[in-house]
Amino acid sequence: MKEKNRGLAVFTFLVFVFLLGPLLIISVTSFEGGSVLKFPIETFSFKWYENIFKVSMFLTTFKTSIIVSLAGNLLALLLGVPAAYALSRFNFKGKAVLNAVFISPILIPGIVLGFTFLRYIVTTYQLPIYAGLFIGHTIIMLPFVIRVVSSSLSTFDFSIEEAAHSLGASKIGTFIQVVLPNIKSGIIAAVMIAFLESFNNVDISVFMTGPGVSTFPIQMLTYVETYFDPTVAAISVLLMIITAFFMFIVERLMGLSYFTKR
Amino acid sequence: MALFTLENISVAYNKQNILQDFNLEIEEGKFISLLGPSGCGKTTTLRLIAGFLESNNGKFLYKGKDYTKVPVNKRNFGFVFQNYALFPHLTIFDNVAFGLRLRKASKSEIEKKVASVLEIVNLSGFEKRYPKELSGGQRQRVAIARALVIEPDLLLFDEPLSNLDANLRENMRIEIRRIQQELGITTVYVSHDQEECFAISDQVAIMNKGIIEQLSDPATIYNYPKTKFVADFIGFKNFIDFEDQKIHENEIELTKSGFTFIVQKNKANTSTDGKTGAIRPDNIVIRPLKESVTAGKNELPGKVKIRTYLGRSYQFIVETPIGDFTINQELLVPYQVGEEVILEFPANNMVLVK
C-alpha cells in the first residue's frame, strides 16, 4: 500500500514538473541581462521588461487586442446570455442541435475555423481587417459565454421569475430585475474566460490579420521570428500573471469545476 | 354574486386533457381549498387562475370582467409558492417591497406597508436579512408577506406547507387562516393534505381527474361524501356494492347476496341513485361470534384475517361472505387471527355514494 502511494506521489510530481517546468524556465530567462535567451541566466536585469514598452508595435497591437476582445466580448454577451437563457429555460424542438452548434467552435480545430473565416470574411466579402477580427473573435467567445452562463442558470430557480410576474413585473423587467442579478457572477466569469480565450488567440487571428493591423500574440510571433532576446519571455511572464489573476477571480465567483463538467 | 368564475375551462397538455369543461365559482372573502391526489388538476386550476397558464377553451371572469387574456402581471393576485420562490439577491425588506416598487409607491408608503405586513407575519426585525439566513417557516412567512403587501384581490397558495416539517406545518396553517380572516382576502389554496385543507377552509373542492367531485364545507364532505372517490379519499375504507334497494319513509333497505342492511335517511342518503354503501373503519363494530347467534340485519359473520396494532387501536381485516372489511377498534383484549366474529354496521354510520 505504502509502495503504491509513493509511486503515485512520484508520478504526480512528474506531471507537475512537466506542466510547470516550462513556465518556470521562461520566468527565469526573462530576467537575463544579455541579449540572447538562455537558461540558466548569467546576469540579472529588468531591461527586457523595459524593452516591451520601447517596441511601439507591442503597444499598438496590445490596444488592438484589447479593443477586439472587449468589443467581441460585448457582442458575445448580447448574443450568448439570451441564448443561454433560452436553452436553460425552455424546451423546444432542435434544442440539442442548437446546443451542439453553439459549442462547435470549441470542438472544431482553430486552424480550420481560421481558414474558413479567411475564405469567407476576408476573401469573399472582403471585410476590413478590424471587422473580420471582431466577427471571428465574437464567434470563438460565444460558446464560452453560453457554457458559463448556462451553468450558472442551471442552479437558478425559475419559479422566482413567476413570483416576480405575479407581483406585477413584465417579462423584460423580470429578466433585468430578477434573472440578471442572480447570474451576475456567471456573467462576470464568462466575460473573463471569453476575454482570455480571445486575447490569447493565435490560430484564428493569424488568418484575419493583415498589413498594418495585428493582434498582440501575432506580434509576439513576428518578434520571435526576427529577434532572439528575452522580451517575449518577459511578456509571457506578464500574461501569465494576468491570466492567473483572472482565473483566481473566476474561481472565486463560480469555482473552476465548470471546466471539468462536460 | 360570485367574485370570480371559471366557466367551461379546458386545459390540455401534450394532447392530454387536464381540465375539461371545468366550472368553479368563488364568493368574496371565502377560503376555498382544492384537494386531491397528484395529477388531479388542482395545481393546473390554480396556475390558470393566477394566469401562468392559458386555457384552450372557456372563460375566467373576475368581478364580471373577462380576465381570460389578462397577463399575470396585470392581475394583482398574490401567489405563494411551494418552494417560497424568494428573491435570493434581495433582503427581506426588498423582497417584500418588490411589488410595491413596481406599483410606484412612495418611499414612505413602502416603508410603512412593509413594516406593517412583516408585523402581521411576525417577522419584524428581519428586514435586513437575506432569504438564505432564514428557516423554512420564516421564508414561507416572507413569501406570504410579499404576496399580501400588494393588497391582492385574490390570494393563491400552491402547497405552501409541504416543504415544512409536521409541527411547523400545523402552526403555519393556523397563521394562514388567522391572516386570511383578519384581512378578509378571498383565498384559493391547493394541497394534497386532507387535514390541512379541512382545518383552514370555508369550502373544500375534492378534485379527481380534472373535475370537482364534491364542493362543500369541510364537515359536510367529511360526514357525507357524495361519490365513491370522495369517500375513499377521506377515509371511508369499506364499500359494499348493493344489488337492490327499497326506499321507506325514514330509511332505505338494501340487499347484497342475501344480507340485508338498513341505512337511515339523512343529508346524504336522500337520493336513490347512490347504491354503494361506504363506512369508516372506526364505525364498524366488531363482536365475538357466540353460538346460536346468526347474523341479523346490518350484520355479517366473518373471520379475522389480519391484525395490526396502530397504537391507539387495533386494525383488523375481516373476511366475510361479501368481501373483506377493515375495522379499527380500541380493545384491551384483541381478537386473534382466525377467530370468528360478527360485524355490525350501524344504520346511522353508513353513507350511500355514487
Side-chain angles (χ1 to χ4, degrees):
Chain A
M1 203 58 198
K2 212 172 180 185
E3 200 59 29
K4 201 177 165 190
N5 275 345
R6 192 179 299 157
L8 194 64
V10 170
F11 185 74
T12 311
F13 176 74
L14 287 176
V15 169
F16 272 100
V17 168
F18 181 73
L19 285 174
L20 298 176
L23 303 185
L24 195 73
I25 292 169
I26 287 287
S27 305
V28 172
T29 54
S30 71
F31 295 107
E32 166 63 38
S35 58
V36 177
L37 199 63
K38 62 178 68 142
F39 182 81
I41 54 174
E42 281 163 6
T43 49
F44 182 86
S45 141
F46 277 109
K47 76 180 196 198
W48 301 112
Y49 283 91
E50 286 162 30
N51 191 45
I52 302 172
F53 299 96
K54 284 181 193 150
V55 179
S56 69
M57 273 313 279
F58 278 137
L59 280 179
T60 326
T61 55
F62 184 77
K63 270 187 221 154
T64 309
S65 271
I66 292 281
I67 290 169
V68 166
S69 295
L70 288 184
N73 216 322
L74 191 68
L75 185 62
L77 275 187
L78 289 176
L79 297 171
V81 174
Y85 175 78
L87 288 170
S88 311
R89 179 80 170 88
F90 306 111
N91 266 319
F92 48 88
K93 260 187 194 166
K95 184 169 160 173
V97 177
L98 266 183
N99 246 324
V101 169
F102 283 132
I103 302 308
S104 62
I106 299 180
L107 305 174
I108 298 171
I111 205 98
V112 175
L113 214 55
F115 178 71
T116 318
F117 291 159
L118 175 74
R119 176 73 185 75
Y120 288 97
I121 297 178
V122 181
T123 316
T124 309
Y125 297 106
Q126 308 216 330
L127 290 179
I129 294 172
Y130 257 110
L133 273 174
F134 173 62
I135 294 170
H137 278 244
T138 303
I139 291 172
I140 57 166
M141 280 190 263
L142 195 56
F144 289 94
V145 171
I146 291 176
R147 283 294 304 278
V148 178
V149 174
S150 290
S151 92
S152 86
L153 276 168
S154 68
T155 55
F156 181 78
D157 171 15
F158 285 104
S159 68
I160 73 170
E161 245 190 350
E162 290 187 335
H165 271 304
S166 74
L167 291 168
S170 64
K171 284 201 169 148
I172 294 166
T174 301
F175 186 77
I176 293 168
Q177 289 186 61
V178 172
V179 181
L180 282 185
N182 281 299
I183 57 168
K184 197 173 61 193
S185 57
I187 290 177
I188 295 171
V191 166
M192 299 200 158
I193 291 169
F195 180 84
L196 290 178
E197 183 63 21
S198 156
F199 191 84
N200 293 331
N201 183 277
V202 171
D203 39 18
I204 308 286
S205 301
V206 80
F207 286 98
M208 312 297 290
T209 48
V213 183
S214 190
T215 65
F216 196 60
I218 304 294
Q219 178 57 34
M220 283 169 74
L221 274 180
T222 318
Y223 188 87
V224 177
E225 281 168 10
T226 334
Y227 306 93
F228 205 61
D229 62 41
T231 311
V232 170
I235 293 174
S236 303
V237 171
L238 293 184
L239 288 182
M240 267 190 269
I241 292 171
I242 295 171
T243 307
F245 176 69
F246 273 34
M247 292 322 275
F248 173 74
I249 294 175
V250 171
E251 162 63 25
R252 270 296 148 93
L253 290 171
M254 293 193 78
L256 288 175
S257 58
Y258 150 75
F259 288 100
T260 54
K261 272 190 288 202
R262 203 50 189 127
Chain B
M1 197 190 83
L3 182 73
F4 74 86
T5 312
L6 298 178
E7 223 174 74
N8 299 321
I9 293 279
S10 297
V11 175
Y13 190 74
N14 283 344
K15 287 179 185 163
Q16 210 184 335
N17 283 323
I18 296 174
L19 297 177
Q20 184 132 38
D21 295 323
F22 186 86
N23 292 289
L24 179 65
E25 285 192 357
I26 308 296
E27 274 164 46
E28 191 153 5
K30 284 271 188 290
F31 192 123
I32 181 172
S33 286
L34 307 177
L35 173 64
S38 53
C40 71
K42 57 189 192 296
T43 299
T44 303
T45 309
L46 192 76
R47 293 176 61 79
L48 187 108
I49 296 171
F52 294 137
L53 273 179
E54 270 185 38
S55 59
N56 305 66
N57 259 315
K59 267 187 185 168
F60 171 52
L61 301 174
Y62 178 77
K63 282 190 174 162
K65 279 174 284 185
D66 189 352
Y67 256 51
T68 319
K69 299 279 180 217
V70 175
V72 189
N73 51 330
K74 302 267 189 272
R75 287 195 183 188
N76 198 40
F77 295 167
F79 200 102
V80 179
F81 295 82
Q82 182 176 356
N83 59 355
Y84 326 130
L86 298 180
F87 307 124
H89 63 297
L90 298 178
T91 60
I92 301 311
F93 182 90
D94 289 332
N95 260 282
V96 177
F98 192 89
L100 292 174
R101 295 213 168 104
L102 288 166
R103 281 162 182 75
K104 306 264 185 287
S106 71
K107 213 179 158 216
S108 59
E109 198 187 340
I110 291 175
E111 275 169 16
K112 213 178 86 194
K113 283 189 174 169
V114 172
S116 85
V117 81
L118 283 179
E119 203 182 312
I120 292 177
V121 298
N122 289 326
L123 278 179
S124 300
F126 285 75
E127 287 86 348
K128 293 208 172 85
R129 304 232 199 148
Y130 282 89
K132 63 170 183 287
E133 299 165 355
L134 302 189
S135 70
Q138 289 169 334
R139 284 183 211 187
Q140 196 54 287
R141 279 188 280 161
V142 175
I144 294 169
R146 185 179 64 179
L148 282 176
V149 80
I150 59 170
E151 288 161 23
D153 297 316
L154 200 59
L155 193 52
L156 308 170
F157 288 94
D158 185 13
E159 309 228 10
L161 307 183
S162 54
N163 286 353
L164 305 177
D165 54 45
N167 267 338
L168 201 53
R169 221 175 315 175
E170 261 181 56
N171 293 338
M172 277 300 291
R173 76 181 186 216
I174 297 167
E175 288 274 279
I176 289 176
R177 181 59 168 164
R178 173 182 65 82
I179 291 165
Q180 189 266 340
Q181 290 197 322
E182 252 173 54
L183 305 176
I185 300 178
T186 316
T187 301
V188 184
Y189 188 99
V190 159
S191 177
H192 63 269
D193 184 329
Q194 192 201 125
E195 195 188 308
E196 193 177 301
C197 286
F198 282 12
I200 57 179
S201 312
D202 296 313
Q203 282 190 306
V204 176
I206 308 271
M207 288 183 66
N208 178 34
K209 292 177 186 158
I211 57 156
I212 292 180
E213 294 252 346
Q214 191 171 357
L215 171 61
S216 299
D217 61 284
T220 304
I221 289 190
Y222 190 80
N223 294 311
Y224 308 109
K226 271 190 191 152
T227 67
K228 197 173 170 182
F229 174 84
V230 175
D232 190 35
F233 192 76
I234 59 168
F236 285 74
K237 277 207 177 114
N238 303 296
F239 297 95
I240 308 169
D241 290 316
F242 293 112
E243 286 145 0
D244 203 15
Q245 63 175 350
K246 267 185 234 150
I247 317 267
H248 301 300
E249 196 182 338
N250 293 318
E251 52 191 38
I252 302 166
E253 191 180 326
L254 303 120
T255 51
K256 166 85 177 179
S257 311
F259 294 98
T260 308
F261 292 83
I262 305 287
V263 172
Q264 271 178 8
K265 277 193 179 174
N266 59 29
K267 213 168 153 184
N269 299 344
T270 47
S271 73
T272 52
D273 49 355
K275 268 171 75 172
T276 297
I279 188 162
R280 289 179 187 278
D282 297 340
N283 291 336
I284 300 178
V285 181
I286 185 166
R287 287 192 276 116
L289 178 71
K290 290 189 187 110
E291 281 167 60
S292 81
V293 174
T294 48
K297 280 185 178 174
N298 285 20
E299 285 179 345
L300 281 176
K303 202 162 127 191
V304 177
K305 211 162 105 182
I306 299 168
R307 185 186 82 189
T308 49
Y309 183 55
L310 302 180
R312 230 183 78 203
S313 56
Y314 282 92
Q315 182 166 77
F316 304 96
I317 311 279
V318 175
E319 198 177 3
T320 76
I322 59 168
D324 290 358
F325 290 91
T326 307
I327 302 110
N328 294 348
Q329 212 143 82
E330 289 176 53
L331 288 169
L332 288 174
V333 186
Y335 297 95
Q336 303 300 321
V337 172
E339 204 172 328
E340 308 258 342
V341 293
I342 292 265
L343 299 184
E344 190 196 325
F345 298 75
N348 54 355
N349 280 333
M350 182 123 60
V351 176
L352 293 182
V353 296
K354 263 185 277 188

